[in-house]
Amino acid sequence: MRILLVEDDPKQLMPLQTVLSQAGHKVDGVKDGETAQWLLAEKEYDLLILDWMLPRISGVSLCQQYRAAGKTAPVLMITAKDTTPDKITGLDAGADDYLVKPIDIMEFMARVRALGRRSPLSAILTNAQVGLLMAADRPQIHPSLENIIDSAKSMSTLVNNLLLLARHQGQLPPESLKKVNLNSLLENLAIHYTTVAAKESLKLISHLPEQQIELWADPDLLRQAVENLLNNACKYTPSGGTVWLRLEPHSDRVVIQLIDTGIGIPEADLPHIFNRFYRVDTERARENGGFGLGLAIAQQIVEAHGGHIYVMSNEGKGSTFQIKLPLRSHS
């Protein structure tokens, strides 16, 4: 398995990394949450082992962010905290198991093996990738292995999306919300998607007000909702087109707009596009694949924040998506 091990104490990190490597696992061992965040953005793992107490970003926060992103790999939390409330906090954050220090190596490895058995898709993907590397001199079997890898990744995405929908039904509890600078969140997305759009010969234009807008939200979930809309805008806008990202403040609410010059949505499909697994039956939609969950996830996230999402579209001319979020106190 590919394992991310995050432990700030070198006296704990080195022995655990060694025993995992000796068992045949590929291990990235790091000492802080910020490095772990970067690795999680760049790589896929079959198992996360997180120390509770880390510099700057705790293991609990890392686990929450990982689950909010829809990732499903098992998480083992290790900590010196041994009270029932602490264990509940870790498990509620999305951890699958909990191990109290000082760590018994035999128990540690038994828990790693048990958690590894919970991730069959990860096992399929890892074994197919290893098989592809080992079969470098047998090109005739590469297409079959590549098909297995693509199918496993596709199914993993489906599972992650379904888990995201299951975890965030209804209004978000106040304790899960943070004060979010919406200008900063959208500016960072605009910078990233300017590059994404350029690769597709598209132009992305952002209009963000000078007035700083803050609201109480789950930043990871809100980012996911806007990303889903940006991904669709870039996916369904032909080369040479334009995508706009706008933020409009009002006295009691804020409006995020995504406008594109894409292929648009047929009028008959508009009432259904936020339904789970619904896909517009166009040639471009079939070419781009997907499971028809992106807009359903965006709608559920927005509604979990007490907001609403709307769409206006003309087939062949483009679409406009609007997210309206209330500006209210944290209570």
Side-chain angles (χ1 to χ4, degrees), residues 47 63 67 72-77 90-91 94-98 115 118:
L47 173 65
C63 186
R67 294 304 188 209
T72 60
V75 176
L76 172 61
M77 195 75 69
L91 294 171
D96 296 272
D97 203 356
Y98 197 98
L115 289 171
R118 296 186 189 181

Side-chain angles (χ1 to χ4, degrees), residues 184-242:
S184 178
L185 186 149
L186 295 180
E187 183 178 5
N188 289 333
L189 284 174
I191 291 170
H192 172 70
Y193 276 91
T194 295
T195 303
V196 173
K199 291 179 180 178
E200 302 297 328
S201 300
L202 304 174
K203 186 175 183 180
L204 188 141
I205 301 171
S206 62
H207 293 290
L208 306 178
E210 293 184 6
Q211 173 190 347
Q212 297 299 299
I213 301 170
E214 292 186 333
L215 77 165
W216 289 94
D218 182 312
D220 297 312
L221 289 178
L222 198 54
R223 184 183 299 109
Q224 180 71 58
V226 180
E227 282 185 344
N228 286 3
L229 298 183
L230 282 166
N231 283 332
N232 278 357
C234 293
K235 187 185 296 183
Y236 296 114
T237 299
S239 297
T242 305

Side-chain angles (χ1 to χ4, degrees), residues 164-176:
L164 184 62
L165 286 166
R167 286 193 185 105
H168 300 289
Q169 297 187 44
Q171 292 279 309
L172 294 171
E175 59 270 19
S176 71

Side-chain angles (χ1 to χ4, degrees), residues 45-66:
Y45 291 95
D46 304 309
L47 173 65
L48 276 60
I49 303 173
L50 308 177
D51 184 23
W52 182 301
M53 299 297 292
L54 294 169
R56 294 179 291 280
I57 302 172
S58 71
V60 172
S61 294
L62 273 176
C63 186
Q64 289 174 325
Q65 293 171 15
Y66 187 71

